[in-house]
């Protein structure tokens, strides 16, 4: 397993983040929105996106886990915001990468149960070739091929999260974690 080429550079990411914030601003009343960052993969994307809006937005986080380490298994939520942060709000899930779609599907359902007025998804990266769950992600930064990527918040077993660019991990199958 070794770090491969830069797939999406820091500059390309910065440009995409600005454009996504612009689209969200046109579509939503920002005073009603709450960004829900899916930790830990969305850590960089959330912190850049939330500061790209021209007015303050509410921000909170969730943490998703798979029971079965790196090879899939059932997605569970290990922390969620309290109901009073979500009820009646326009929720925008902020995710680093949508792969099978299961994480977003489970999270959308839990946020709806908490009384969200609406739930949509903003993901920096989308790997549509591996989708098994029918999820709607209105805001996507980049489509990526079926390679394992790291950097800008995304990790391989905890490594490479702090890279500024999104890079390919050579020899990494598309594992889930
Ligand atoms: P999904 O539930 O299959 O859509 O997977 C989403 C989660 O799997 C993301 O939040 C990431 O944590 C992880 N993931 C999927 N693909 C990759 C990848 O290429 N690199 C790093 N993490 C990934
Ligand atoms: Mg991960």
């Amino acid at each position: 397993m070794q770090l491969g080429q830069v797939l999406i550079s820091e500059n390309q990411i910065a440009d995409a983040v600005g454009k996504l914030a612009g689209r969200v601003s046109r579509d939503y009343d920002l005073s009603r929105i709450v960004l829900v960052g899916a930790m830990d993969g969305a850590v960089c994307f959330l912190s850049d996106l939330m500061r790209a809006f021209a007015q303050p937005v509410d921000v909170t986080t969730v943490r998703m886990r798979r029971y079965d380490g790196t090879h899939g298994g059932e997605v569970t939520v290990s922390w969620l915001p309290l109901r009073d942060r979500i009820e009646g709000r326009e929720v925008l899930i902020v995710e680093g990468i949508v792969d099978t779609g299961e994480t977003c599907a489970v999270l959308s359902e839990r946020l709806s149960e908490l009384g969200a007025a609406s739930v949509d998804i903003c993901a920096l990266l989308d790997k549509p070739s591996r989708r098994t769950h029918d999820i709607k992600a209105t805001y996507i930064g980049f489509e990526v091929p079926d390679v394992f990527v790291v950097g800008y918040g995304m990790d391989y077993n905890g490594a490479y999260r702090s890279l500024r660019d999104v890079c390919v991990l050579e020899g990494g199958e598309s594992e889930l974690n």
Side-chain angles (χ1 to χ4, degrees), residues 12-28 30 33 35 45-46 48-50 52-53 92-96 121-126 137-143 152:
Q12 288 175 294
I13 294 169
D15 191 49
V17 168
K19 286 182 177 146
L20 288 169
R23 285 183 54 203
V24 172
S25 305
R26 285 190 288 279
D27 293 351
Y28 282 90
L30 292 181
I33 205 170
L35 306 184
F45 185 39
L46 177 68
D48 285 343
L49 184 70
M50 72 187 196
F53 293 104
L92 188 63
I93 294 173
V94 178
E95 171 64 291
I121 297 163
C122 180
L124 181 70
L125 307 179
D126 185 21
T138 303
Y139 307 97
I140 296 287
F142 301 92
E143 236 180 60
Y152 196 68

Side-chain angles (χ1 to χ4, degrees), residues 13 38-46 95-97 124 149-156 158-166 177:
I13 294 169
M39 293 296 111
D40 295 327
V43 61
C44 298
F45 185 39
L46 177 68
E95 171 64 291
I97 181 165
L124 181 70
V149 296
V150 291
Y152 196 68
M154 282 155 286
D155 72 307
Y156 174 70
Y160 306 114
R161 219 187 271 288
S162 63
L163 297 179
R164 292 179 178 200
D165 306 304
V166 171
N177 57 9

Side-chain angles (χ1 to χ4, degrees), residues 83 86 91 106-119:
R83 174 174 285 270
I86 299 299
V91 173
V106 169
L107 184 52
S108 298
E109 198 179 307
R110 298 297 298 275
L111 292 166
S112 296
E113 286 163 12
L114 289 176
S118 66
V119 180

Side-chain angles (χ1 to χ4, degrees), residues 26-143:
R26 285 190 288 279
D27 293 351
Y28 282 90
D29 172 355
L30 292 181
S31 67
R32 278 175 52 83
I33 205 170
V34 56
L35 306 184
V36 176
M39 293 296 111
D40 295 327
V43 61
C44 298
F45 185 39
L46 177 68
S47 69
D48 285 343
L49 184 70
M50 72 187 196
R51 291 175 298 163
F53 293 104
Q55 72 181 73
V57 289
D58 271 14
V59 178
T60 188
T61 58
V62 294
R63 188 158 207 270
M64 312 296 292
R65 283 193 64 129
R66 284 183 191 273
Y67 267 138
D68 180 19
T70 55
H71 283 96
E74 196 187 338
V75 171
T76 57
V77 184
S78 63
W79 84 61
L80 264 182
L82 296 176
R83 174 174 285 270
D84 65 2
R85 299 294 308 279
I86 299 299
E87 199 163 26
R89 307 296 297 277
E90 314 278 359
V91 173
L92 188 63
I93 294 173
V94 178
E95 171 64 291
I97 181 165
V98 180
D99 187 21
T100 66
E102 186 177 3
T103 301
C104 283
V106 169
L107 184 52
S108 298
E109 198 179 307
R110 298 297 298 275
L111 292 166
S112 296
E113 286 163 12
L114 289 176
S118 66
V119 180
D120 207 338
I121 297 163
C122 180
L124 181 70
L125 307 179
D126 185 21
K127 226 188 260 183
S129 56
R130 286 177 33 94
R131 196 77 90 249
T132 56
H133 289 67
D134 182 25
I135 59 134
K136 156 181 163 261
T138 303
Y139 307 97
I140 296 287
F142 301 92
E143 236 180 60

